[in-house]
Amino acid sequence: MVPISSVARSLLDTISEIIASVEYTEVENPNLVEIGSYLHRVSAVVTELQNSSADATNILQSLSKSIDVAKELVSRCQRRSEVRSAIEQLEGVIKHIGEDLSSIPTSTYGNQEFVKVTVASLSKEMMSFHFGVTQIQLPEKKELEPQTETNLYSIGFEDFEQSTQSSEISRLNQVEQFGSTNRRGKRSPSSRISGSSTSFPHVAQYMEPQYDTFFCPLTKSIMDDPVTVGSGVTYDKKAITEWYEKFESTSDVVCPKTGQKLLKRELSTNMSLKATIEEWKERNVIARIKVSKEALSQASSESMAFEALKDLQIICNGKHNNKLMVRSMGMLPLIAKFLEYKDGNVKCATLELLLLLAEDDDGKKVVAMTVNMPIIIRMLSSNHQPVRHASLLLLLELSTAQSLSKIIGSVTGGILMLITMKFRETSDAFASEKADEILRNLEGSPDNVKRMADNGLMEPLLNHLMEGSEVIKLKMATYLGEMCLGDDSQIQVAKRASLSLIKMVYDGNSWSRKAAFKALKQISSHRPNSNVLVEAGIVRVMAEELFTRTIYNEQMNSKKEAAAILANILDSGLDLESIQVNSSGYRISSDYVVYNIIYLLKNSTPDELNINLIRALLCLTKSQKISAAIASVIEETEASYKLIELINNANEELGVSAVKLLIRLSPYIGHTLTERLCSTSGQPESLIESPTETTRIKEKQAVSANFLAKLPRESLTLNLALLSKNLVPAILETISHMQRSGVRTSRYANYYFEGLVGILVRFTTTLYDHQVLLLARNNNFTLLFSELLTKTSSDEVQRLSAIALENLSTLSISLSKPPKVKKPKYIKLPFLPKCASFGSSKHKSIPLCPVHRGACSSQDTFCLLDAKAVERLLACLDHVNVEVVGAALSAICTLLDDNVDVEKSVSILNGLNTIQFVLNAVREHKQEDLRQKSFWVIERFLMLGGERSVLDVSQDGLILSAFVCAFHHGDGSTRQMAENILTYLNKMPNSSTNYIT
């Protein structure tokens, strides 16, 4: 019985001798190299069987017989005459060895599933082995077709981690790159296919051995370009060329290996050896790729996936053909899946591998089509810095391809993340730099430029607008017009783009002008941009477009756009006197501009143009001087008819704008507007629209009501027109409804309410007409306006209500009459005594108003005392709004008029502590008009209010100083009243006083 170890050792020695014999055979035949490769892989199986606990003696002995036959056949190959027959017999030997391997019991491998799968794969290959070529000479190198190559190295990785414990296989195959042990027992130099040793633990054992003939005698490395010199020795071309350069004379050149003199420096390419080396390299690369592919397909651990990816990186760092093989073998989809792996190191290795595969144009396209681009973008926000940096480098490489930049930019949120990284230089300088480079690459796509601008990066768009071609400028201007710019972006765009856009308006074609107009309209809508635009000359260009320039057959209405931009500029609050319109010196406030705008308004039809013209006029009316000029021109040209016609235009915005302008002009030409309004069909009733409970109050309703309220109140024609159209009941009902329900359903509700109250105030100015008087009495206006004083939060409503009460109270003295006493008629009966009668001798007395000296009521005579309105008016004297205080004080003054019983009125008002309210108003407000009214009231109280009033006034030092100040600095009327008050307070010299000297 021979020990199994001896059989195995003898078998391994024989295999080593066969490989060495193949390596040094004089006959060059690729079939012998292939046989050597198979025997090299069988040696690993023999080692595994030697260390197995099972009895594998029979298998080893059978293998030993086959190996001995193979050794004899290889030695016969040394004789050229027997090569063909020996090769044919070797094919049978290889198949028989495969059968021996297949007969190995599975129990031999124990739980090492990896070894079982590997041996089964090798056995299957060897049993199906067949020599395709048996020629003595090597064939020419074939084109690389890795996708169709037979899977000579297919393996399984179902239990990769267990397989790593196969110690003997690992020890036998711990070689760098494709290194192996030659027959001299020395380590063969590493191939230059890759730059470093593989980190994948089981790759080397599937590599074909390196033969000494592959190595250059000079460099001791595998040759890339083997050439044969005159001595018959083969060297690497680069190495022998450098050797030749060491000799100055051709006659001194010797062969480095043999020392033989070389008469010529001619180099002959060893085509057969070169092809053999190339095929050897390719087979080994394919083997490694397939090993990695299986590892990635069955990756059961992070380390397994990581090492497979790293090994592929080493392969791809070699020849360009290696990358082609990786891509052509369908590896990319498998690799891309690991972008979603949880482990950061695996993600990073995947990104680095994809970066290598994308270094050429075709690689970029294939990678971009395979990987899920949103995943790459999402990795930009990874907390793992290497992953973040690796994803940036991959994106940078892909972005260099113009066709891919649009794909990258289209990923949702991608450009936003890159911009964010660009501006975070302090936190990650590398990421900031690479993000900036990627963004610059993406600028080649106009769509990406727009996305950058949408996400706050305006420089690319502005640069293209200023420096690009006409087509690019058109696109950039179009983008600007469509974008919603933030405040910071608005200012930046205005500073850099204004001149270019204005030039496009002035010199561009129809499409460029349209885009530039739209962009300028957008920019000019931001008020802080106005100064920049004016300095750039926009007003002159827009004025020319609006007033003088005409381009026929243009697809847009340039006047409409110019009017909108000009209105935006005027609405920004700039000094109107400083803006020059043209080279003739006209300013924006000049009659030239006013006449031209009104002329266009009177003769234009497009609604949008009319809206912008009216907007421009509204801006100009902010100046009283220009307002008067506009009113005059409108009155002269009868443009007011045009404005009144526009009130009921189907375009609500246009109608609102027209009414707003009419409100502004009413103080100047109110009577003209009233006359023309009343002479227009459908007016004024169309201006009053009562909202229902479910209808929100619109701006049109609010401005229309206020227009009617602000027209001259004394216009009896308009007031009677409102009465005849039966509009007052609707107004009263709306006011009542809004008070009861507190309706505030829109932003215009308060303004609408103020307009309705203002319309009612109109009627208090024309009470001399019996129809209006009857209206006021029937609806108890005194009580209505008294309640409005306190049941509202609007200052304007309070002011209007006080004005209305003043108007009503002024009429009370003439309406208040002594009651007429009717004498009762008695029937005299002769049989009754004289003292008896059916009627009482005492008649019921009717109380008289102490102030108005007659029979008063809030409804019939509009008496403020009867309506309890005085207390509410006094409360208004504490208001912070000086206009409300002034209106309330004016209403109170009607009770101190000379036509009433002033003494009794003062007495009643004293009881309501009126003097203190008036004194507080003097302290709070310094307006001259209010002081005059206050001083007038105080004078009346000092004159008729007795010691109490004098005491109340004289005790307040601040009030006394106010009287003194008014005496020194007030106008004539105020000074006289202040002097009278100081006299009553005994602060002025009195001519009736006797002075003793």
Side-chain angles (χ1 to χ4, degrees), residues 91 138 157 167 239 336 339 425 436 538 554 607 632 642 815 817 832 894 944 957 974:
E91 181 177 309
L138 288 172
F157 280 88
S167 57
L339 290 172
E425 185 176 2
D436 184 51
I538 193 170
E554 196 168 39
D607 289 349
S632 176
K642 173 78 172 182
L815 295 177
K817 302 293 183 181
L832 290 177
T894 60
L944 301 170
T974 306

Side-chain angles (χ1 to χ4, degrees), residues 5 103 141 197 407 617 631 784 800 826:
S5 58
S103 64
K141 188 176 183 319
S197 61
I407 297 175
L617 290 174
L784 172 65
L800 290 171
Y826 303 104

Side-chain angles (χ1 to χ4, degrees), residues 737-752:
H737 171 69
M738 295 182 73
Q739 282 184 307
R740 287 195 311 270
S741 59
V743 176
R744 295 293 184 268
T745 55
S746 78
R747 57 188 294 190
Y748 306 110
N750 282 334
Y751 191 48
Y752 178 62

Side-chain angles (χ1 to χ4, degrees), residues 29 61 237 377 524 559 641 712:
N29 195 301
Q61 288 178 347
K237 184 176 183 179
I377 297 295
S524 64
K559 294 188 184 301
Y641 284 114

Side-chain angles (χ1 to χ4, degrees), residues 143-164:
E143 290 296 321
L144 179 64
E145 295 181 352
Q147 67 273 17
T148 60
E149 177 134 357
T150 306
N151 187 1
L152 299 178
Y153 301 96
S154 61
I155 58 174
F157 280 88
E158 297 176 1
D159 197 358
F160 179 82
E161 292 182 359
Q162 283 187 335
S163 69
T164 59

Side-chain angles (χ1 to χ4, degrees), residues 165 230 510 651 712 796 938 989:
Q165 299 177 12
S510 179
N651 187 322
E796 180 64 11
I938 293 171

Side-chain angles (χ1 to χ4, degrees), residues 369-389:
M369 292 172 60
T370 305
V371 301
N372 189 349
M373 199 64 70
I375 294 177
I376 307 293
I377 297 295
R378 194 163 61 242
M379 288 182 181
L380 296 177
S381 59
S382 172
N383 294 327
H384 193 49
Q385 189 184 66
V387 171
R388 194 164 63 247
H389 288 181

Side-chain angles (χ1 to χ4, degrees), residues 843-913:
H843 303 286
K844 188 176 180 181
S845 62
I846 299 175
L848 300 179
C849 176
V851 176
H852 300 116
R853 307 185 188 96
C856 277
S857 68
S858 62
Q859 184 168 3
D860 293 331
T861 63
F862 315 126
C863 180
L864 299 183
L865 295 175
D866 186 68
K868 306 296 182 185
V870 178
E871 293 88 340
R872 298 177 180 183
L873 289 168
L874 290 174
C876 290
L877 296 183
D878 283 335
H879 208 288
V880 294
N881 189 325
V882 67
E883 292 185 355
V884 175
V885 176
L889 192 56
S890 294
I892 293 172
C893 287
T894 60
L895 299 177
L896 298 172
D897 190 78
D898 291 336
N899 295 323
V900 303
D901 192 330
V902 180
E903 187 173 354
K904 290 183 179 179
S905 183
V906 168
S907 177
I908 294 172
L909 292 175
N910 249 335
L912 298 174
N913 204 22

